Coordinates of all heavy atoms in Angstrom, one line a residue:
M47 N 0.8 -1.2 0.0 CA 0.0 0.0 0.0 C 0.9 1.3 0.0 O 0.6 2.2 -0.7 CB -0.9 0.0 1.2 CG -1.9 1.1 1.3 SD -3.0 1.3 -0.1 CE -4.2 0.0 0.2
Q48 N 1.9 1.2 0.8 CA 2.8 2.4 0.8 C 3.5 2.7 -0.5 O 3.6 3.8 -0.9 CB 3.9 2.2 1.9 CG 3.3 2.3 3.3 CD 4.4 2.0 4.4 OE1 5.6 1.7 4.1 NE2 4.0 2.2 5.6
E49 N 3.8 1.6 -1.3 CA 4.3 1.8 -2.6 C 3.3 2.5 -3.5 O 3.7 3.4 -4.3 CB 4.8 0.5 -3.2 CG 6.0 -0.1 -2.5 CD 6.3 -1.5 -3.0 OE1 5.7 -1.9 -4.1 OE2 7.0 -2.2 -2.4
F50 N 2.1 2.1 -3.4 CA 1.0 2.7 -4.2 C 0.9 4.2 -3.9 O 0.7 5.1 -4.7 CB -0.3 2.0 -4.0 CG -1.4 2.6 -4.7 CD1 -1.6 2.5 -6.1 CD2 -2.4 3.4 -4.0 CE1 -2.6 3.2 -6.8 CE2 -3.4 4.0 -4.6 CZ -3.6 3.9 -6.0
V51 N 0.9 4.5 -2.6 CA 0.7 5.9 -2.1 C 1.9 6.7 -2.6 O 1.6 7.8 -3.1 CB 0.6 5.9 -0.6 CG1 0.7 7.4 -0.1 CG2 -0.7 5.3 -0.1
Q52 N 3.1 6.2 -2.5 CA 4.2 7.0 -3.0 C 4.2 7.2 -4.5 O 4.5 8.3 -5.0 CB 5.5 6.2 -2.6 CG 5.8 6.2 -1.1 CD 6.0 7.5 -0.5 OE1 6.5 8.4 -1.2 NE2 5.6 7.7 0.7
A53 N 3.7 6.2 -5.2 CA 3.6 6.3 -6.7 C 2.5 7.3 -7.1 O 2.5 7.7 -8.3 CB 3.4 5.0 -7.3
S54 N 1.6 7.5 -6.2 CA 0.4 8.3 -6.6 C 0.3 9.7 -5.9 O -0.7 10.3 -5.9 CB -0.9 7.5 -6.3 OG -0.9 6.2 -6.8
K55 N 1.4 10.1 -5.4 CA 1.5 11.4 -4.6 C 1.0 12.6 -5.4 O 0.5 13.5 -4.8 CB 2.9 11.7 -4.1 CG 3.2 10.9 -2.9 CD 4.4 11.5 -2.2 CE 4.5 10.8 -0.9 NZ 5.0 11.7 0.1
D56 N 1.1 12.6 -6.7 CA 0.6 13.7 -7.5 C -0.9 13.9 -7.5 O -1.3 15.0 -7.7 CB 1.2 13.6 -9.0 CG 0.7 12.4 -9.7 OD1 0.6 11.3 -9.0 OD2 0.5 12.4 -10.9
W57 N -1.6 12.9 -7.3 CA -3.1 13.0 -7.2 C -3.8 12.5 -6.0 O -5.0 12.7 -5.8 CB -3.7 12.4 -8.5 CG -3.5 10.9 -8.5 CD1 -2.5 10.3 -9.1 CD2 -4.3 9.9 -8.0 NE1 -2.6 8.9 -9.0 CE2 -3.7 8.6 -8.3 CE3 -5.5 9.9 -7.3 CZ2 -4.3 7.4 -7.9 CZ3 -6.1 8.7 -6.9 CH2 -5.5 7.5 -7.2
L58 N -3.0 11.8 -5.1 CA -3.6 11.2 -4.0 C -3.1 11.8 -2.7 O -1.9 12.0 -2.5 CB -3.2 9.7 -4.0 CG -3.7 8.8 -2.8 CD1 -5.2 8.7 -2.8 CD2 -3.1 7.5 -2.9
T59 N -4.1 12.1 -1.8 CA -3.7 12.6 -0.5 C -4.2 11.6 0.6 O -5.4 11.2 0.5 CB -4.4 14.0 -0.2 OG1 -4.0 14.9 -1.2 CG2 -4.1 14.5 1.2
V60 N -3.4 11.2 1.5 CA -3.7 10.2 2.5 C -3.7 10.9 3.9 O -2.8 11.6 4.2 CB -2.7 9.1 2.5 CG1 -3.0 8.1 3.6 CG2 -2.7 8.4 1.1
F61 N -4.8 10.7 4.6 CA -4.9 11.2 6.0 C -4.9 10.0 6.9 O -5.7 9.0 6.7 CB -6.2 11.9 6.2 CG -6.3 13.2 5.4 CD1 -6.9 13.2 4.2 CD2 -5.7 14.4 5.8 CE1 -7.0 14.3 3.4 CE2 -5.8 15.5 5.1 CZ -6.4 15.5 3.8
Q62 N -4.0 10.0 7.9 CA -4.0 8.9 8.9 C -5.0 9.2 9.9 O -5.0 10.2 10.6 CB -2.6 8.8 9.5 CG -1.5 8.2 8.6 CD -1.8 6.8 8.3 OE1 -2.0 6.5 7.1 NE2 -1.8 5.9 9.2
L63 N -5.9 8.3 10.1 CA -6.9 8.4 11.1 C -6.7 7.3 12.2 O -6.1 6.3 11.9 CB -8.3 8.1 10.5 CG -8.7 9.1 9.4 CD1 -10.1 8.7 8.8 CD2 -8.8 10.5 10.0
P64 N -7.2 7.6 13.4 CA -7.0 6.6 14.5 C -7.7 5.3 14.1 O -8.8 5.3 13.5 CB -7.6 7.2 15.7 CG -8.0 8.6 15.4 CD -7.9 8.7 13.9
S65 N -7.1 4.1 14.4 CA -7.7 2.9 14.1 C -9.1 2.7 14.7 O -10.0 2.1 14.2 CB -6.8 1.7 14.4 OG -6.5 1.7 15.7
Y66 N -9.2 3.1 16.0 CA -10.4 3.0 16.7 C -10.6 4.2 17.6 O -9.7 4.4 18.5 CB -10.5 1.7 17.5 CG -11.8 1.6 18.3 CD1 -13.0 1.4 17.7 CD2 -11.7 1.6 19.7 CE1 -14.2 1.3 18.4 CE2 -12.9 1.5 20.4 CZ -14.1 1.3 19.7 OH -15.3 1.2 20.5
A67 N -11.6 5.0 17.4 CA -11.7 6.2 18.1 C -13.2 6.5 18.5 O -13.9 7.2 17.9 CB -11.2 7.4 17.4
P68 N -13.7 5.7 19.5 CA -15.1 5.9 19.8 C -15.4 7.3 20.3 O -16.6 7.7 20.2 CB -15.3 4.8 21.0 CG -14.0 4.5 21.5 CD -13.0 4.8 20.3
D69 N -14.4 8.0 20.9 CA -14.7 9.4 21.3 C -15.0 10.3 20.2 O -15.5 11.4 20.4 CB -13.5 9.9 22.2 CG -12.2 9.7 21.5 OD1 -12.0 8.7 20.8 OD2 -11.3 10.6 21.7
L70 N -14.7 9.9 18.9 CA -15.0 10.8 17.8 C -16.3 10.3 17.1 O -16.6 10.9 16.0 CB -13.8 10.7 16.8 CG -12.5 11.2 17.3 CD1 -11.4 11.1 16.2 CD2 -12.6 12.7 17.7
N71 N -17.0 9.3 17.6 CA -18.1 8.7 16.9 C -19.4 9.0 17.8 O -19.6 8.4 18.8 CB -17.9 7.2 16.8 CG -18.9 6.6 15.9 OD1 -19.9 7.2 15.6 ND2 -18.6 5.3 15.5
P72 N -20.3 9.9 17.3 CA -21.4 10.3 18.1 C -22.4 9.1 18.3 O -23.1 9.1 19.3 CB -22.1 11.4 17.2 CG -21.4 11.4 15.9 CD -20.2 10.7 16.0
Q73 N -22.4 8.1 17.5 CA -23.3 7.0 17.7 C -22.9 6.2 18.9 O -23.8 5.5 19.5 CB -23.5 6.2 16.5 CG -22.3 5.3 16.1 CD -22.5 4.6 14.8 OE1 -23.5 4.8 14.1 NE2 -21.6 3.7 14.5
E74 N -21.7 6.3 19.3 CA -21.3 5.6 20.6 C -22.0 6.2 21.8 O -22.4 5.4 22.7 CB -19.8 5.7 20.8 CG -18.9 5.0 19.8 CD -19.0 3.5 19.9 OE1 -19.4 3.0 21.0 OE2 -18.6 2.8 19.0
G75 N -22.2 7.5 21.8 CA -23.0 8.1 22.8 C -24.5 7.7 22.8 O -25.1 7.4 23.9
I76 N -25.0 7.5 21.6 CA -26.4 7.1 21.5 C -26.5 5.7 22.1 O -27.5 5.4 22.8 CB -26.9 7.2 20.1 CG1 -26.9 8.6 19.5 CG2 -28.3 6.6 19.9 CD1 -27.8 9.6 20.2
W77 N -25.6 4.8 21.7 CA -25.7 3.4 22.1 C -25.5 3.3 23.6 O -26.1 2.5 24.3 CB -24.7 2.5 21.4 CG -25.2 2.2 20.0 CD1 -24.7 2.5 18.8 CD2 -26.4 1.5 19.7 NE1 -25.5 2.1 17.8 CE2 -26.6 1.4 18.3 CE3 -27.5 0.9 20.5 CZ2 -27.6 0.8 17.7 CZ3 -28.5 0.3 19.8 CH2 -28.6 0.3 18.5
S78 N -24.7 4.2 24.2 CA -24.5 4.3 25.6 C -25.8 4.6 26.3 O -26.2 4.0 27.3 CB -23.5 5.3 26.0 OG -23.4 5.5 27.4
L79 N -26.6 5.5 25.7 CA -27.9 5.9 26.3 C -28.9 4.7 26.2 O -29.6 4.4 27.1 CB -28.5 7.1 25.6 CG -27.8 8.4 25.7 CD1 -28.3 9.4 24.8 CD2 -27.9 8.9 27.2
V80 N -28.8 4.0 25.1 CA -29.7 2.8 24.9 C -29.4 1.7 25.9 O -30.2 1.1 26.5 CB -29.6 2.3 23.4 CG1 -30.3 0.9 23.3 CG2 -30.2 3.3 22.4
K81 N -28.1 1.5 26.1 CA -27.7 0.4 27.0 C -28.1 0.7 28.4 O -28.4 -0.2 29.2 CB -26.2 0.2 26.9 CG -25.7 -0.5 25.6 CD -24.3 -0.9 25.6 CE -23.5 0.3 25.2 NZ -22.0 0.0 25.1
R82 N -28.1 2.0 28.8 CA -28.6 2.4 30.1 C -30.1 2.0 30.3 O -30.4 1.6 31.4 CB -28.5 3.9 30.3 CG -27.0 4.3 30.5 CD -27.0 5.8 30.7 NE -25.7 6.3 30.5 CZ -25.4 7.6 30.4 NH1 -26.3 8.5 30.5 NH2 -24.2 8.0 30.1
T83 N -30.9 2.2 29.2 CA -32.3 1.9 29.4 C -32.6 0.4 29.3 O -33.6 0.0 29.9 CB -33.1 2.6 28.3 OG1 -32.7 2.1 27.0 CG2 -33.0 4.1 28.4
I84 N -31.8 -0.4 28.7 CA -32.1 -1.8 28.6 C -31.1 -2.7 29.4 O -31.1 -3.9 29.3 CB -32.1 -2.3 27.1 CG1 -30.7 -2.2 26.5 CG2 -33.1 -1.6 26.3 CD1 -30.6 -2.8 25.1
G85 N -30.3 -2.0 30.2 CA -29.2 -2.7 30.9 C -29.7 -3.8 31.8 O -29.1 -4.9 32.0
N86 N -30.9 -3.7 32.4 CA -31.4 -4.7 33.3 C -32.5 -5.5 32.7 O -33.2 -6.2 33.4 CB -31.9 -4.0 34.6 CG -30.8 -3.4 35.4 OD1 -29.7 -4.0 35.5 ND2 -31.0 -2.3 36.1
L87 N -32.7 -5.4 31.4 CA -33.7 -6.2 30.8 C -33.3 -7.6 30.6 O -32.2 -7.9 30.2 CB -34.0 -5.6 29.4 CG -34.9 -6.4 28.5 CD1 -36.4 -6.3 29.0 CD2 -34.9 -5.8 27.0
A88 N -34.2 -8.5 31.0 CA -33.9 -9.9 30.9 C -34.9 -10.4 29.7 O -36.0 -10.9 29.9 CB -34.2 -10.7 32.1
A89 N -34.4 -10.2 28.5 CA -35.2 -10.5 27.3 C -35.4 -12.0 27.2 O -34.5 -12.7 27.3 CB -34.6 -9.9 26.1
A90 N -36.7 -12.3 26.9 CA -37.0 -13.7 26.7 C -36.5 -14.2 25.3 O -36.3 -15.4 25.2 CB -38.5 -14.0 26.9
N91 N -36.5 -13.3 24.4 CA -36.0 -13.7 23.0 C -35.5 -12.5 22.3 O -35.6 -11.3 22.8 CB -37.2 -14.4 22.2 CG -38.4 -13.5 22.2 OD1 -38.3 -12.3 22.0 ND2 -39.6 -14.1 22.4
L92 N -35.0 -12.7 21.1 CA -34.4 -11.6 20.3 C -35.4 -10.5 19.9 O -35.1 -9.4 19.9 CB -33.7 -12.2 19.1 CG -32.8 -11.2 18.3 CD1 -31.8 -10.6 19.2 CD2 -32.2 -12.0 17.1
D93 N -36.7 -11.0 19.7 CA -37.7 -10.0 19.3 C -38.0 -9.0 20.4 O -38.2 -7.8 20.2 CB -39.0 -10.7 18.9 CG -38.9 -11.4 17.6 OD1 -38.1 -11.0 16.8 OD2 -39.6 -12.4 17.4
Q94 N -38.0 -9.5 21.7 CA -38.3 -8.6 22.8 C -37.1 -7.7 23.0 O -37.3 -6.5 23.3 CB -38.4 -9.5 24.1 CG -38.8 -8.6 25.3 CD -39.0 -9.5 26.5 OE1 -38.5 -10.6 26.6 NE2 -39.6 -8.9 27.6
L95 N -35.9 -8.1 22.8 CA -34.7 -7.2 22.9 C -34.8 -6.2 21.8 O -34.5 -5.0 22.0 CB -33.4 -8.0 22.7 CG -32.1 -7.2 22.8 CD1 -32.0 -6.5 24.1 CD2 -31.0 -8.2 22.5
A96 N -35.1 -6.6 20.5 CA -35.2 -5.6 19.4 C -36.3 -4.6 19.7 O -36.1 -3.4 19.4 CB -35.5 -6.4 18.1
R97 N -37.4 -5.0 20.3 CA -38.5 -4.0 20.6 C -38.0 -3.0 21.6 O -38.3 -1.8 21.6 CB -39.7 -4.7 21.1 CG -40.6 -5.3 20.0 CD -42.0 -5.7 20.5 NE -41.9 -6.6 21.6 CZ -41.8 -8.0 21.5 NH1 -41.8 -8.5 20.3 NH2 -41.8 -8.7 22.6
A98 N -37.3 -3.5 22.6 CA -36.8 -2.6 23.7 C -35.8 -1.6 23.1 O -35.8 -0.4 23.5 CB -36.1 -3.4 24.8
V99 N -34.9 -2.0 22.2 CA -33.9 -1.2 21.6 C -34.7 -0.1 20.7 O -34.4 1.1 20.8 CB -32.9 -1.9 20.7 CG1 -32.1 -1.0 19.9 CG2 -32.0 -2.8 21.6
R100 N -35.6 -0.5 19.9 CA -36.4 0.4 19.1 C -37.1 1.4 20.0 O -37.2 2.6 19.7 CB -37.4 -0.3 18.2 CG -36.8 -0.9 17.0 CD -37.8 -1.4 16.0 NE -38.7 -2.4 16.5 CZ -38.5 -3.7 16.4 NH1 -37.5 -4.2 15.9 NH2 -39.4 -4.5 16.9
R101 N -37.7 1.0 21.1 CA -38.4 1.9 22.0 C -37.5 2.9 22.6 O -37.8 4.1 22.7 CB -39.1 1.1 23.1 CG -39.9 1.9 24.0 CD -40.8 1.1 25.0 NE -40.1 -0.1 25.6 CZ -40.4 -1.4 25.3 NH1 -41.4 -1.7 24.5 NH2 -39.7 -2.3 25.9
S102 N -36.3 2.4 23.0 CA -35.3 3.3 23.5 C -34.8 4.4 22.5 O -34.7 5.6 22.8 CB -34.1 2.5 24.1 OG -33.1 3.4 24.6
L103 N -34.6 3.9 21.3 CA -34.2 4.8 20.2 C -35.3 5.8 19.9 O -35.0 7.0 19.7 CB -33.8 4.1 19.0 CG -32.5 3.3 19.0 CD1 -32.3 2.4 17.8 CD2 -31.3 4.3 19.2
K104 N -36.5 5.4 20.0 CA -37.6 6.3 19.7 C -37.7 7.4 20.8 O -38.0 8.5 20.5 CB -38.9 5.5 19.7 CG -40.1 6.2 19.1 CD -39.9 6.4 17.7 CE -41.3 6.7 17.0 NZ -41.1 7.1 15.6
Q105 N -37.5 7.0 22.0 CA -37.5 8.0 23.1 C -36.4 9.0 23.0 O -36.6 10.2 23.2 CB -37.4 7.2 24.5 CG -38.6 6.4 24.9 CD -38.3 5.6 26.1 OE1 -37.2 5.4 26.5 NE2 -39.4 5.1 26.7
I106 N -35.2 8.5 22.6 CA -34.1 9.4 22.4 C -34.4 10.4 21.2 O -34.0 11.6 21.3 CB -32.8 8.6 22.1 CG1 -32.4 7.9 23.4 CG2 -31.7 9.5 21.6 CD1 -31.3 6.9 23.1
Q107 N -35.1 9.9 20.2 CA -35.4 10.7 19.0 C -36.2 12.0 19.4 O -36.0 13.0 18.8 CB -36.2 9.9 18.0 CG -36.7 10.6 16.8 CD -37.6 9.7 15.9 OE1 -37.7 8.5 16.2 NE2 -38.1 10.3 14.9
Y108 N -37.0 11.8 20.4 CA -37.9 13.0 20.8 C -37.2 13.8 21.9 O -37.9 14.7 22.5 CB -39.2 12.5 21.3 CG -40.0 11.9 20.1 CD1 -40.3 10.6 20.0 CD2 -40.5 12.8 19.1 CE1 -41.0 10.1 18.9 CE2 -41.2 12.3 18.0 CZ -41.4 11.0 17.9 OH -42.1 10.5 16.9
R109 N -35.9 13.6 22.2 CA -35.2 14.4 23.1 C -33.9 14.9 22.4 O -32.8 14.3 22.6 CB -34.8 13.5 24.3 CG -36.0 13.1 25.1 CD -35.6 12.3 26.3 NE -36.8 12.0 27.1 CZ -36.9 10.8 27.7 NH1 -36.0 9.9 27.6 NH2 -38.0 10.5 28.3
P110 N -34.1 15.9 21.6 CA -32.9 16.4 20.8 C -31.7 16.8 21.6 O -30.6 16.8 21.2 CB -33.5 17.5 20.0 CG -34.8 17.9 20.6 CD -35.3 16.7 21.3
H111 N -32.0 17.3 22.9 CA -30.9 17.7 23.7 C -29.9 16.5 24.0 O -28.7 16.7 24.1 CB -31.3 18.3 25.0 CG -32.1 17.4 25.9 ND1 -33.4 17.0 25.7 CD2 -31.7 16.7 27.0 CE1 -33.8 16.2 26.7 NE2 -32.7 16.0 27.5
L112 N -30.4 15.3 24.0 CA -29.6 14.1 24.2 C -28.7 13.9 23.0 O -27.5 13.6 23.1 CB -30.4 12.9 24.5 CG -31.2 12.8 25.8 CD1 -32.0 11.6 25.9 CD2 -30.3 12.9 27.0
I113 N -29.3 14.0 21.8 CA -28.5 13.8 20.6 C -27.5 14.9 20.5 O -26.3 14.7 20.1 CB -29.5 13.8 19.4 CG1 -30.5 12.6 19.5 CG2 -28.7 13.8 18.1 CD1 -31.6 12.6 18.5
D114 N -27.9 16.2 20.8 CA -26.9 17.3 20.7 C -25.8 17.0 21.7 O -24.6 17.4 21.4 CB -27.6 18.6 21.1 CG -28.6 19.1 20.0 OD1 -28.5 18.6 18.9 OD2 -29.5 19.9 20.3
G115 N -26.1 16.5 22.8 CA -25.0 16.2 23.8 C -24.0 15.1 23.3 O -22.8 15.2 23.5
C116 N -24.6 14.1 22.6 CA -23.7 13.1 22.0 C -22.8 13.7 20.9 O -21.6 13.3 20.8 CB -24.5 12.0 21.4 SG -25.4 11.0 22.7
L117 N -23.3 14.6 20.1 CA -22.5 15.3 19.1 C -21.5 16.2 19.7 O -20.4 16.3 19.3 CB -23.4 16.1 18.2 CG -24.2 15.3 17.2 CD1 -25.3 16.2 16.5 CD2 -23.3 14.6 16.2
A118 N -21.9 17.0 20.8 CA -21.0 17.9 21.4 C -19.8 17.2 22.1 O -18.7 17.7 22.1 CB -21.8 18.7 22.4
S119 N -20.1 16.0 22.6 CA -19.0 15.3 23.3 C -17.9 14.8 22.3 O -16.8 14.5 22.7 CB -19.6 14.1 24.0 OG -20.0 13.1 23.1
T120 N -18.2 14.8 21.0 CA -17.2 14.4 20.0 C -16.4 15.6 19.6 O -15.3 15.4 19.0 CB -17.8 13.8 18.8 OG1 -18.6 14.8 18.1 CG2 -18.7 12.6 19.1
G121 N -16.8 16.8 19.9 CA -16.1 18.0 19.4 C -16.5 18.3 18.0 O -15.9 19.3 17.4
L122 N -17.4 17.6 17.4 CA -17.9 17.9 16.0 C -18.8 19.1 16.0 O -19.5 19.3 17.0 CB -18.6 16.7 15.4 CG -17.8 15.4 15.3 CD1 -18.7 14.3 14.8 CD2 -16.6 15.6 14.4
I123 N -18.7 19.9 15.0 CA -19.6 21.1 14.9 C -20.6 20.9 13.8 O -20.3 20.5 12.7 CB -18.7 22.3 14.6 CG1 -17.7 22.6 15.7 CG2 -19.5 23.6 14.4 CD1 -16.6 23.6 15.4
M124 N -21.9 21.2 14.2 CA -22.9 21.1 13.2 C -23.4 22.5 12.9 O -23.8 23.3 13.8 CB -24.1 20.3 13.7 CG -23.8 18.8 13.7 SD -25.3 17.8 14.1 CE -26.4 18.4 12.9
D125 N -23.4 22.9 11.6 CA -23.9 24.2 11.2 C -25.4 24.0 10.8 O -25.7 23.0 10.1 CB -23.1 24.8 10.1 CG -21.7 25.1 10.5 OD1 -21.5 25.4 11.6 OD2 -20.8 25.0 9.6
G126 N -26.2 24.9 11.2 CA -27.6 24.8 10.8 C -28.6 25.1 11.7 O -28.8 25.4 12.8

């Protein structure tokens, strides 16, 4: 890969990103909120778990301040 990058420097720009950076990923914050709501759920089957996750996501959807908080914790800026 490095040989290809070196051979293509005239038209290719490569940015090194962290291999795993959950602190830069706003959906990690959302899943953290979901896990808090279903943390003590003893689901009888996968359908019950899926319903609980959907219900939790729906509740978060109607609380934009939670979503804004997850975005703010990443340091990402949203214009609009």
Side-chain angles (χ1 to χ4, degrees):
M47 183 60 74
Q48 289 178 355
E49 290 174 14
F50 174 76
V51 170
Q52 291 299 326
S54 306
K55 277 194 171 215
D56 57 328
W57 63 270
L58 179 66
T59 303
V60 176
F61 296 95
Q62 287 296 113
L63 299 174
S65 58
Y66 178 67
D69 51 325
L70 299 177
N71 191 346
Q73 71 185 6
E74 293 288 341
I76 299 295
W77 283 118
S78 174
L79 294 171
V80 170
K81 288 187 278 185
R82 287 181 200 169
T83 62
I84 64 170
N86 292 325
L87 174 68
N91 55 41
L92 191 55
D93 289 334
Q94 186 181 14
L95 178 61
R97 278 193 306 274
V99 169
R100 281 193 300 272
R101 183 173 42 249
S102 180
L103 288 171
K104 193 71 159 173
Q105 290 172 346
I106 293 168
Q107 177 183 354
Y108 292 110
R109 295 182 177 139
H111 65 281
L112 294 176
I113 297 169
D114 291 343
C116 292
L117 286 170
S119 70
T120 65
L122 299 174
I123 299 170
M124 285 191 53
D125 295 331

